[in-house]
């Protein structure tokens, strides 16, 4: 049995999978915010309760928005800031009396979709999360590619490629640079691009779903914003294809619900990819919001024993 934990800023979710990826049990509780000790106890309690209920012991994998510092073994880059600087893996291993694996949520998303999701059977998978932020992970033959810096797939803080003059220098990013893909391709990025091109500020509060609905209803400013968005996503992904040449790119996060992207973006990226034909497929996720917790469970096990 494989247990996956999705440790988010507001919820902690547990899933238990059987050997074939079937769901045995799922639990969801509030994250004890700003309390590291309580966060540890909550995770340990979820695992113990699941094992009692299912009468078996499992492997434990954790997905979080942050990363483990290769230098210190402590958490870094977590938006759940009370985790930063804490030896989360070591503490959980002590509590649970077993080895625990951890990876960031974009890696878990990519892994879940690569193992038995939309990209099942594909050799190289690039999984992108476009929502409040913009992250990604790389899976090669069923294994997460991590890298010596632990940042493989960290795509959102590369600059928007092939920029037009009016796209320079681009919006300021929290990372300290300007024009990062995240500032263009996240949901807030799409909304603020719309505001820049129109006189009203009201659009800044619109979600991607609202902008798409208004575009469908004939709002020209919203439709133009979507067209700009699609071309930027195509450019960003074309650069990934030029470097990694993945078999499949899977989209996740709130913006992956825009069905038009799967037709428009591959049509547009043909202009930017350095190849006469592009066989890379752009796919919607199979598991959607559940991919993070499923991918955490799949951090364990020889790929040969997976479905
Ligand atoms: Zn940035």
């Amino acid at each position: 049995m494989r247990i996956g934990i999705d440790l988010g800023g507001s919820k902690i979710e547990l899933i238990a999978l059987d050997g074939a990826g079937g769901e045995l049990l799922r639990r969801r509780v509030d994250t004890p915010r700003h309390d590291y000790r309580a966060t540890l106890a909550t995770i340990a309690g979820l695992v113990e309760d699941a094992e009692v209920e299912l009468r078996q012991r499992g492997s434990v994998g954790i997905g979080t928005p942050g990363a483990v510092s290769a230098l210190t073994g402590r958490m870094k880059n977590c938006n759940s800031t009370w985790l930063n600087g804490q030896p989360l893996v070591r503490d959980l291993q002590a509590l649970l009396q077993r080895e625990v694996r951890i990876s960031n949520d974009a890696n878990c998303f990519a892994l879940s979709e690569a193992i038995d999701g939309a990209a099942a059977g594909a050799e190289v998978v690039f999984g992108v999360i476009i929502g409040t932020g913009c992250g990604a992970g790389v899976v090669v033959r069923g294994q997460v590619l991590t890298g010596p810096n632990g940042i493989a797939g960290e795509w959102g803080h590369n600059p928007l490629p092939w920029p037009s003059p009016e796209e320079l220098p681009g919006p300021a990013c929290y990372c300290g640079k300007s024009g990062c893909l995240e500032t263009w391709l996240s949901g807030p990025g799409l909304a603020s691009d719309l505001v820049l091109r129109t006189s009203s500020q009201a659009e800044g509060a619109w979600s991607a779903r609202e902008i798409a609905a208004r575009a469908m209803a004939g709002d020209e400013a919203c439709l133009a914003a979507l067209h700009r968005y699609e071309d930027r996503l195509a450019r960003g992904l074309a650069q990934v294809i030029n470097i990694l040449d993945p078999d499949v790119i899977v989209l996740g996060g709130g913006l992956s619900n825009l069905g038009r992207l799967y037709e428009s973006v591959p049509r547009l990226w043909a202009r930017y990819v350095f190849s006469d034909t592009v066989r890379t497929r752009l796919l919607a996720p199979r598991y959607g919001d559940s991919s993070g917790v499923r991918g955490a469970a799949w951090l364990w096990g020889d790929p040969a024993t997976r479905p």
Side-chain angles (χ1 to χ4, degrees):
M1 172 170 81
R2 294 179 171 98
I3 293 173
I5 304 274
D6 183 8
L7 171 52
S10 58
K11 298 280 177 195
I12 299 175
E13 188 170 12
L14 173 144
I15 202 170
L17 300 180
D18 64 21
E23 184 176 321
L24 299 169
L25 178 144
R26 189 191 283 250
R27 294 282 181 272
R28 201 165 197 223
V29 297
D30 289 337
T31 303
R33 293 177 62 78
H34 307 292
D35 188 338
Y36 176 63
R37 288 285 140 200
T39 301
L40 289 177
T42 301
I43 295 171
L46 279 170
V47 171
E48 281 156 16
D49 290 350
E51 292 185 332
V52 167
E53 189 170 334
L54 296 168
R55 294 183 190 167
Q56 53 183 316
R57 192 175 158 92
S59 57
V60 176
I62 313 250
T64 89
V68 178
S69 164
L71 215 58
T72 64
R74 292 168 184 265
M75 300 303 294
K76 62 175 184 179
N77 304 346
C78 297
N79 50 9
S80 307
T81 49
W82 63 97
L83 299 177
N84 286 326
Q86 300 288 357
L88 177 69
V89 175
R90 196 184 71 203
D91 288 341
L92 281 176
Q93 290 185 158
L95 274 173
L96 294 169
Q97 291 292 297
R98 76 197 81 178
E99 197 186 329
V100 167
R101 288 184 183 169
I102 193 163
S103 200
N104 83 36
D105 51 0
N107 289 347
C108 290
F109 165 75
L111 184 58
S112 169
E113 293 296 339
I115 295 286
D116 64 350
E123 192 170 340
V124 177
V125 177
F126 190 69
V128 180
I129 296 183
I130 35 176
T132 51
C134 175
V138 180
V139 173
V140 179
R141 296 186 193 98
Q143 299 271 29
V144 171
L145 191 69
T146 309
N149 306 300
I151 57 164
E154 282 297 344
W155 171 69
H157 298 277
N158 283 355
L160 177 71
W162 298 284
S164 62
E166 65 268 26
E167 287 171 333
L168 291 171
C173 183
Y174 73 87
C175 76
K177 299 195 166 56
S178 290
C180 293
L181 283 166
E182 179 164 302
T183 67
W184 296 108
L185 299 181
S186 62
L190 170 60
S192 56
D193 178 59
L194 181 61
V195 170
L196 274 178
R197 300 293 186 112
T198 53
S199 50
S200 161
Q201 291 294 307
E203 293 90 341
W206 291 353
S207 68
R209 189 189 300 266
E210 285 167 311
I211 293 170
R214 283 168 195 270
M216 288 287 288
D219 183 317
E220 284 183 18
C222 287
L223 187 60
L226 274 187
H227 284 153
R228 290 193 297 275
Y229 182 88
E230 287 165 339
D231 194 70
R232 287 166 185 150
L233 181 57
R235 280 182 264 161
L237 294 176
Q239 195 174 53
V240 171
I241 295 171
N242 282 347
I243 295 167
L244 186 67
D245 204 359
D247 297 273
V248 174
I249 297 173
V250 191
L251 300 182
L255 283 117
S256 70
N257 294 317
L258 295 178
R260 52 183 287 151
L261 299 180
Y262 302 96
E263 185 274 322
S264 60
V265 171
R267 184 163 39 74
L268 292 164
W269 74 26
R271 297 182 200 165
Y272 303 105
V273 175
F274 187 58
S275 171
D276 53 351
T277 56
V278 185
R279 299 173 66 191
T280 301
R281 290 178 294 150
L282 182 68
L283 299 177
R286 174 172 176 191
Y287 291 112
D289 291 342
S290 291
S291 258
V293 72
R294 292 183 66 91
W298 287 124
L299 290 171
W300 277 96
D302 182 338
T305 68
R306 294 165 176 163

